[in-house]
Amino acid sequence: MSKFILLYNGPATPIDQMTDADKQKMQVDWKNWMDGVGSALADMGSPMGNGRSVVDDGSTGKVLELSGYSILEADNIDEAVKLVNGHPFLVDKSGKFSVEVFELYPAPEM
């Protein structure tokens, strides 16, 4: 079993700018997705914000619109991608949001 990180890419609305109804719907949608994924969800993750990009030449770069992450366990990347089906981050259908799926490799021994 391998681990995969899901990176949520898109202009997510900050919680403090959501209505109570929007917050409640979001919580229900996330719970439904997590229940559907079941034990494959290794780490629910966390929202992210206030990012900065540090470039190897000492300058600052354009920050990606990453707004959160989760970690799944699956046999392979195709199975991990299937688990993203119905993800609440993808409900907008505007093309502005994506879930990036990357396999996490073990760190090399030092």
Side-chain angles (χ1 to χ4, degrees), residues 9-102:
N9 185 21
T13 304
I15 288 282
D16 62 347
Q17 294 178 18
M18 298 175 77
T19 67
D20 287 341
D22 289 338
K23 289 177 194 175
Q24 187 174 14
K25 180 177 180 345
M26 180 186 67
Q27 289 174 338
V28 167
D29 291 346
W30 273 88
K31 182 177 182 335
N32 288 339
W33 177 75
M34 290 186 294
D35 287 348
V37 170
S39 63
L41 185 63
D43 181 349
M44 182 179 76
S46 178
M48 301 185 311
N50 293 326
R52 293 194 180 168
S53 175
V54 180
V55 182
D56 62 356
D57 65 2
S59 67
T60 57
K62 183 178 184 310
V63 176
L64 301 175
E65 281 191 289
L66 298 178
S67 57
Y69 78 95
S70 296
I71 297 176
L72 298 176
E73 291 183 331
D75 289 331
N76 56 55
I77 195 163
D78 293 328
E79 293 301 317
V81 168
K82 285 180 188 176
L83 293 169
V84 176
N85 187 34
H87 196 289
F89 196 73
L90 300 175
V91 299
D92 194 54
K93 306 295 185 209
S94 65
K96 295 178 188 175
F97 300 89
S98 65
V99 176
E100 311 296 326
V101 182
F102 290 90

Side-chain angles (χ1 to χ4, degrees), residues 1-5 42 71-74 102-105:
M1 194 72 68
S2 298
K3 287 188 178 181
F4 297 86
I5 189 165
I71 297 176
L72 298 176
E73 291 183 331
F102 290 90
E103 185 170 359
L104 296 173
Y105 295 134

